[in-house]
Amino acid sequence: NAGVTQTPKFQVLKTGQSMTLQCAQDMNHEYMSWYRQDPGMGLRLIHYSVGAGITDQGEVPNGYNVSRSTTEDFPLRLLSAAPSQTSVYFCAVGGGTEAFFGQGTRLTVV
Amino acid sequence: DAKTTQPPSMDCAEGRAANLPCNHSTISGNEYVYWYRQIHSQGPQYIIHGLKNNETNEMASLIITEDRKSSTLILPHATLRDTAVYYCIDALTNTGNQFYFGTGTSLTVIP
């Protein structure tokens, strides 16, 4: 979706490695969030932010860290990847009326 | 956990109206009803939302019962491109996009 950029699109990690999933927006919106989607499941909220400097945990926060130092960026950090974190990750921007989702990062942990 | 209940799958003939139901048994007074859809493995796409009144936009209509315990999303003339998983979500509007998705309804539009 225009205005929400997720990188990378695909990533393979070894168990125990760390990495950062990037999410950037150019809509100047306060709300940003991260979701994961496992096969055959709906999206589950990992962390969210209602503005720069403010973050909070969602439904499944364990194993992930976030920070929001700017309005534009909301990176998601995996500190020590585990096979259970194999999933598709979506960043969302906006809320209140409608949220715009990125195209996703497909992560495989082997 | 998701707070809404939807049928897992539905079929609809191309050109006919698709009516997708949702139960909101625990919706609170200030929560809105949102509908999103997900085509293949793309990011979800916003369709419509409402609080109490019925709503219509260029994509769909939303019917909410008076007690707000159920809603129906109506795609008036379904096309093959409407084949997707449709999610209904109860959410506040002022706490960020904290959406709790269920497994949704997989709609297949049949030629």
Side-chain angles (χ1 to χ4, degrees):
Chain A
N1 283 331
V4 183
T5 304
Q6 282 188 242
T7 55
K9 288 186 171 54
F10 300 93
Q11 183 70 50
V12 178
L13 286 180
K14 294 182 179 178
T15 298
Q17 285 185 316
S18 63
M19 81 160 293
T20 299
L21 279 64
Q22 302 290 347
C23 178
Q25 58 134 332
D26 61 6
M27 295 184 287
N28 199 35
H29 206 289
E30 294 298 318
Y31 298 162
M32 297 184 75
S33 55
W34 277 102
Y35 294 82
R36 61 176 286 174
Q37 185 173 31
D38 299 327
M41 305 281 289
L43 282 71
R44 290 186 291 170
L45 181 65
I46 305 172
H47 286 283
Y48 65 98
S49 170
V50 297
I54 306 170
T55 64
D56 208 341
Q57 296 181 350
E59 204 177 352
V60 288
N62 293 341
Y64 307 94
N65 274 0
V66 292
S67 60
R68 184 92 181 274
S69 56
T70 67
T71 299
E72 292 77 21
D73 300 295
F74 190 41
L76 178 72
R77 298 183 186 84
L78 281 71
L79 305 176
S80 177
S84 60
Q85 293 178 304
T86 293
S87 191
V88 181
Y89 292 83
F90 291 100
C91 174
V93 175
T97 51
E98 65 179 288
F100 296 90
F101 286 79
Q103 289 304 299
T105 295
R106 189 174 298 273
L107 175 68
T108 301
V109 183
V110 298
Chain B
D1 290 341
K3 299 182 292 182
T4 59
T5 306
Q6 300 177 253
S9 63
M10 293 180 64
D11 292 338
C12 177
E14 187 177 17
R16 303 296 294 269
N19 296 281
L20 290 88
C22 181
N23 287 329
H24 310 264
S25 58
T26 62
I27 191 168
S28 63
N30 53 354
E31 285 184 316
Y32 282 68
V33 173
Y34 287 83
W35 282 83
Y36 280 76
R37 72 182 182 183
Q38 188 174 27
I39 298 173
H40 297 302
S41 298
Q42 299 176 21
Q45 176 191 22
Y46 167 84
I47 302 173
I48 198 167
H49 77 289
L51 183 63
K52 295 180 181 179
N53 299 322
N54 299 338
E55 302 287 343
T56 296
N57 63 19
E58 64 278 4
M59 290 183 68
S61 294
L62 173 60
I63 308 298
I64 303 173
T65 58
E66 190 170 346
D67 64 2
R68 303 206 325 124
K69 298 301 184 183
S70 65
S71 71
T72 301
L73 178 75
I74 301 172
L75 307 178
H77 305 288
T79 70
L80 299 179
R81 289 178 294 180
D82 291 322
T83 293
V85 178
Y86 288 77
Y87 299 98
C88 64
I89 304 162
D90 300 336
L92 300 172
T93 63
N94 60 352
T95 57
N97 40 21
Q98 299 178 55
F99 294 137
Y100 293 88
F101 290 77
T103 52
T105 295
S106 178
L107 174 70
T108 301
V109 180
I110 301 169

